[in-house]
Amino acid sequence: MNGQADIGVIGLAVMGQNLVLNMLDKGFSVSVFNRTTEKMKAFLDGPAKMRTNIAGAETLEELTDLLKKPRKILLMVKAGEIVDSYIEMLIPLLEKGDIIIDGGNSQFTDTERRVQRLAGLGIPYLGCGVSGGEEGARHGPSLMPGGNKEGWPETAPILTAIAARTPSGEVCCDWIGESGAGHFVKMVHNGIEYGDMQLICEAYHLLRDIYNLNAEEMHHVFTEWNKTELESYLIEITADIFAKKDKDGKPLVDKILDTAGQKGTGKWTAIHSLDLGVPVTLITEAVFSRILSSMKEERAAAASLFRGPDTNSAASSREGIEILRKALLTAKILSYTQGFMLMDQASREFNWNLQFGNIALVWRAGCIIRSVFLGKIHRAFSKRKDLPNLLHDEYFLDLINAGHTALRKIVALAAEKGIPMPAFSAALSFYDGYRCSRLPANLLQAQRDYFGAHTYERIDSERGQFFHTDWTSSR
């Protein structure tokens, strides 16, 4: 197969293997390389056995020799230094016009740096967000390519072929933008995923500890919710989780330790929201909630020391569960609003010209946050290009105006019963802050001017005129 492979893939962990199998199914020929040759051979002798359009390479030189020109190489390795290491090893083996694609969860700032450096060598570099986990990689992921657009025409046929499709057949892969745009959008996707998961977990906490529902009952609740506007992959799998039994016949979820892990993309979303000045409060609370969960021993000790309110169960009723469903939907809308606000500010800051309707469509299938809900977002941004944010779209405006009362009731119930609901609470606080025409920041600015002469604007002067007062002169 010398010089005949359509694409090379470096890195044969689960995601890499499944993407290769996906490519093979679509009729592409693939050459593969893994740092440990044994893993590559196990793949060729196992999942890829009997495939005639694949070849293994024991060195990077052999890998590049197997590829058609311009060569296309997909890196499916751990984000960070290892990506830079492979780039440095590949540069001497490549020619101008050859293309490197990073399919890992790289920091968008690292992608920006790599795009610039390789552009100087005539090698287009793409940072491509890949979402959908193992199943998505195998049968159709959501793909978010960005970087040096000179590499897009050559890679588009492969990436669009392996991508997921919406129920109406639309491809969940589209050019996102220059530089680090693809990885930034993937980062925000993961941040929204953090928020979605935390909201679902907080709803579960209330159902379990206040409404006193068991796992089987919660399975039915989430199954029913998945037939409403909340229909989504995460609601669907949550219903499945509650139905799963351990070997002794008891719910497996009840035996899992309550400490959550994270890989960093949620934290990056929170950090960059601060850098860009966007109030992505719900996602940030979701990140902090995972951190708090990791303090298991300290929390266990605190539980015996600190008092809380009476946590007697409330009567679970269809009405109460419906209020919680509406509150969850409302909080979810507010979380997505914050995520798209962050992408909007990044697009302005970095001149990416992000197309939010297309991004919603890319997320419509294949990825972890896929849902019917995203079709509404696609329509909202497609209908109105100058939409300030999702809350101004008629569909979402109606849902928010109808649902904020439910959100208030749930946050109040949780506070009364001592159930932590940081994501629900952040959603409500953001909503009330956003709709408030006069916040107390005038006092805050006066305080800043008092101790630091930071100046302030006045309501009876034009914006952009700043004043300073000697606050102690009249005392």
Side-chain angles (χ1 to χ4, degrees):
M1 207 166 82
N2 240 28
Q4 296 301 311
D6 296 305
I7 188 169
V9 176
I10 296 175
L12 293 173
V14 174
M15 287 291 288
Q17 289 190 22
N18 283 346
L19 283 172
V20 170
L21 294 172
N22 188 346
M23 292 172 186
L24 297 174
D25 287 347
K26 301 302 186 298
F28 298 104
S29 54
V30 186
S31 62
V32 296
F33 172 86
N34 197 74
R35 182 177 56 85
T36 53
T37 306
E38 293 77 11
K39 190 165 192 175
M40 180 187 70
K41 290 180 177 178
F43 174 61
L44 294 174
D45 292 337
K49 192 174 183 180
M50 306 300 291
R51 302 284 189 142
T52 58
N53 51 343
I54 186 171
E58 297 193 4
T59 66
L60 292 178
E61 291 86 349
E62 187 179 349
L63 178 80
T64 55
D65 286 343
L66 289 167
L67 297 174
K68 294 176 185 176
K69 295 182 181 180
R71 302 177 183 91
K72 295 169 283 292
I73 298 176
L74 173 63
L75 297 176
M76 291 302 299
V77 298
K78 188 177 180 180
E81 293 181 1
I82 192 168
V83 176
D84 289 310
S85 176
Y86 271 110
I87 289 171
E88 293 307 313
M89 289 187 286
L90 285 170
I91 286 173
L93 307 174
L94 300 180
E95 301 172 358
K96 286 186 177 182
D98 290 343
I99 302 159
I100 299 176
I101 312 159
D102 176 12
N105 274 332
S106 290
Q107 269 269 36
F108 86 97
T109 48
D110 287 339
T111 303
E112 288 180 324
R113 169 176 55 80
R114 292 162 184 156
V115 167
Q116 291 175 7
R117 174 158 188 261
L118 289 169
L121 301 174
I123 300 172
Y125 185 87
L126 304 185
C128 182
V130 179
S131 181
E134 299 173 24
E135 179 188 354
R138 181 66 185 86
H139 301 291
S142 169
L143 298 175
M144 294 149 263
N148 187 335
K149 199 169 185 179
E150 291 181 12
W152 176 235
E154 286 288 341
T155 55
I158 298 175
L159 296 181
T160 55
I162 67 171
R165 300 289 191 275
T166 68
S168 57
E170 294 152 311
V171 180
C172 293
C173 173
D174 194 17
W175 179 254
I176 299 297
E178 300 286 340
S179 193
H183 275 141
F184 188 93
V185 169
K186 174 55 163 58
M187 176 195 76
V188 175
H189 165 282
N190 284 23
I192 292 173
E193 178 185 311
Y194 271 60
D196 260 0
M197 294 172 74
Q198 180 63 28
L199 287 169
I200 291 170
C201 288
E202 290 176 14
Y204 154 63
H205 197 167
L206 196 71
L207 290 169
R208 183 192 68 188
D209 289 7
I210 301 303
Y211 289 161
N212 206 29
L213 268 59
N214 60 35
E216 183 178 353
E217 290 168 326
M218 284 186 277
H219 163 72
H220 291 299
V221 166
F222 278 87
T223 298
E224 288 304 308
W225 284 0
N226 202 43
K227 300 173 184 176
T228 70
E229 302 98 325
L230 286 173
E231 182 185 346
S232 64
Y233 174 73
L234 285 171
I235 295 290
E236 178 186 350
I237 68 168
T238 301
D240 290 345
I241 288 167
F242 287 126
K244 187 69 174 179
K245 300 291 195 296
D246 199 11
K247 294 177 181 177
D248 61 1
K250 295 180 179 179
L252 178 59
V253 68
D254 292 341
K255 298 188 177 184
I256 298 174
L257 189 69
D258 57 321
T259 59
Q262 57 179 312
K263 290 187 176 180
T265 45
K267 179 180 73 174
W268 295 347
T269 307
I271 290 170
H272 290 302
S273 74
L274 290 169
D275 289 340
L276 291 167
V278 182
V280 183
T281 53
L282 194 151
I283 292 170
T284 303
E285 285 291 354
V287 175
F288 282 132
S289 293
R290 294 195 187 193
I291 295 171
L292 184 60
S293 79
S294 69
M295 301 165 59
K296 175 63 177 177
E297 289 73 21
E298 194 170 340
R299 287 189 292 110
S304 63
L305 294 174
F306 301 112
R307 293 181 180 177
D310 176 16
T311 56
N312 289 340
S313 299
S316 87
S317 64
R318 282 189 172 273
E319 181 184 7
I321 292 172
E322 175 61 11
I323 290 171
L324 180 57
R325 185 193 71 81
K326 287 181 178 178
L328 178 58
L329 176 62
T330 304
K332 182 184 175 78
I333 291 169
L334 293 164
S335 180
Y336 277 70
T337 296
Q338 292 181 3
F340 276 87
M341 286 171 65
L342 179 58
M343 289 190 291
D344 182 49
Q345 183 58 34
S347 184
R348 297 171 191 270
E349 182 79 14
F350 305 121
N351 297 313
W352 286 339
N353 191 30
L354 299 181
Q355 302 298 305
F356 303 118
N358 291 352
I359 290 170
L361 184 62
V362 166
W363 292 348
R364 180 66 181 80
C367 68
I368 302 302
I369 64 171
R370 61 185 183 264
S371 66
V372 171
F373 186 87
L374 282 158
K376 302 293 186 181
I377 297 178
H378 169 66
R379 280 191 285 276
F381 283 111
S382 298
K383 181 173 60 178
R384 185 177 167 190
K385 302 295 183 183
D386 63 341
L387 194 67
N389 66 45
L390 281 179
L391 301 185
H392 292 263
D393 176 72
E394 290 180 6
Y395 174 81
F396 292 104
L397 177 62
D398 289 344
L399 284 179
I400 285 288
N401 281 336
H404 74 92
T405 300
L407 181 57
R408 295 182 196 285
K409 288 180 179 179
I410 291 302
V411 170
L413 175 62
E416 181 185 0
K417 296 295 185 179
I419 300 296
M421 298 189 85
F424 274 84
S425 300
L428 181 58
S429 292
F430 169 77
Y431 173 69
D432 283 338
Y434 186 71
R435 69 178 188 86
C436 184
S437 63
R438 186 164 172 80
L439 290 167
N442 54 317
L443 175 59
L444 188 150
Q445 199 62 18
Q447 292 170 333
R448 294 182 72 238
D449 189 56
Y450 188 112
F451 65 69
H454 292 292
T455 73
Y456 55 86
E457 296 175 274
R458 293 177 60 100
I459 61 174
D460 52 4
S461 298
E462 290 186 10
R463 291 298 306 269
Q465 294 185 35
F466 293 89
F467 301 85
H468 169 60
T469 295
D470 182 354
W471 295 92
T472 61
S473 62
S474 60
R475 287 197 313 176

